[in-house]
Amino acid sequence: MRATVVVPTYNEIDNIERFLRAVRDAVPGIRVLVVDDSSPDGTGARAEELAAELGDIAVLHRTEKNGLGRAYRAGLRRAIDDGAEVCVQMDADLSHDPEVLPALLAIVEHGADLAIGSRYVPGGRTVDWPPLRRWLSRWGNRYAAGVLGLAINDATAGYRAYRVTVLQAIDFESVKADGYGFQVEMTNRIVGVGAKVVEFPITFQDRTAGVSKMSKSIIGEALFLVLRLWVEDFRGRHERRARGG
Ligand SMILES: Nc1nc2c(ncn2[C@@H]2O[C@H](COP(=O)(O)OP(=O)(O)OP(=O)(O)O)[C@@H](O)[C@H]2O)c(=O)[nH]1
Ligand SMILES: [Mg+2]
């Protein structure tokens, strides 16, 4: 299947080269779409140079930094329009090991609609994260899964491969969340349409270069988002029952 890695970047100048070379080494035939929000550090221009050297890499330059969700919606749209059958989401900061790519792709090729690189299934782990960050991620996941009734251990994971038909089935462009919540909203919709989800254990390595874009407002958005999704799911079920469906 034709696969494209969609990778949003903002100020990843110290990571982008290592990232693109490692992806190319791990899966020589894979396409990459870098979605750069006019990084002031020149990540977009560096990505263009690497694209010319390595081939099969495109760069989508956006004018404004306005969140991971928006960057992904634009990037997934472009990848699909360019013929992708599988879209991989990945961070550029090398927290997601490119060596895992073949496994995620194989899971989708064998029939899954979504393969999640999961920190919270047996064999999965996080390395070098401070205790508070670890706690936040672990409990954020328990909270989201508990409230939404998702049988998913790592619904906030940012390393995933989607079958394009499921992205179309959930109308991914109408997903509203922009920060971390984007991953949760995507997962909730995918579970909602009864798609097949497989979690594959990964080791998540904290970034060693560049700065985090994680913020209190992103965490706040995710907390409220879960409640909004719960209300929407509840209303949806109620309306279906009222219609006798
Ligand atoms: N295009 C774009 N990319 C973004 C934006 N925010 C974050 N990113 C990228 O999204 C990926 C994940 O962001 P990170 O800052 O690593 O967030 P994180 O992984 O939750 O947090 P840390 O790894 O702790 O820094 C990275 O490749 C970032 O460069 C944004 O607004 N626009
Ligand atoms: Mg990161």
Side-chain angles (χ1 to χ4, degrees), residues 7-12 35-39 62 64-69 71-72 90-93 95-96 129 133 178 180 204-207 210-214 218:
V7 56
T9 56
Y10 191 74
N11 285 349
E12 299 291 359
V35 186
D36 185 70
D37 285 359
S38 299
S39 298
R62 303 175 75 246
E64 210 187 330
K65 174 183 175 353
N66 51 16
L68 200 67
Y72 265 128
M90 222 170 153
D91 292 354
D93 57 6
S95 287
H96 299 147
W129 251 7
R133 190 68 204 270
D178 286 319
Y180 252 117
F204 178 99
Q205 172 73 51
D206 192 17
R207 60 160 76 237
V211 288
S212 174
K213 283 100 215 168
M214 182 71 163
I218 289 177

Side-chain angles (χ1 to χ4, degrees), residues 153-234:
N153 297 282
D154 197 350
T156 63
Y159 195 10
R160 321 155 152 220
Y162 297 93
R163 182 182 295 275
V164 161
T165 48
V166 85
L167 289 175
Q168 287 158 335
I170 63 164
D171 185 19
F172 71 93
E173 280 169 292
S174 68
V175 167
K176 296 187 197 81
D178 286 319
Y180 252 117
F182 179 72
Q183 317 292 10
V184 177
E185 195 168 352
M186 293 287 282
T187 309
N188 190 50
R189 285 195 187 196
I190 284 179
V191 169
V193 297
K196 185 173 160 63
V197 182
V198 174
E199 288 185 89
F200 181 83
I202 60 157
T203 296
F204 178 99
Q205 172 73 51
D206 192 17
R207 60 160 76 237
T208 56
V211 288
S212 174
K213 283 100 215 168
M214 182 71 163
S215 66
K216 286 207 182 83
S217 73
I218 289 177
I219 298 168
E221 183 201 49
L223 286 175
F224 282 108
L225 167 88
V226 169
L227 295 177
R228 173 170 69 72
L229 295 177
W230 181 79
V231 170
E232 283 174 10
D233 287 354
F234 180 81

Side-chain angles (χ1 to χ4, degrees), residues 141-150 226-227 229-231 233 237:
N141 263 296
R142 287 185 174 134
Y143 163 72
V147 171
L148 297 172
L150 303 172
V226 169
L227 295 177
L229 295 177
W230 181 79
V231 170
D233 287 354
R237 277 198 302 274

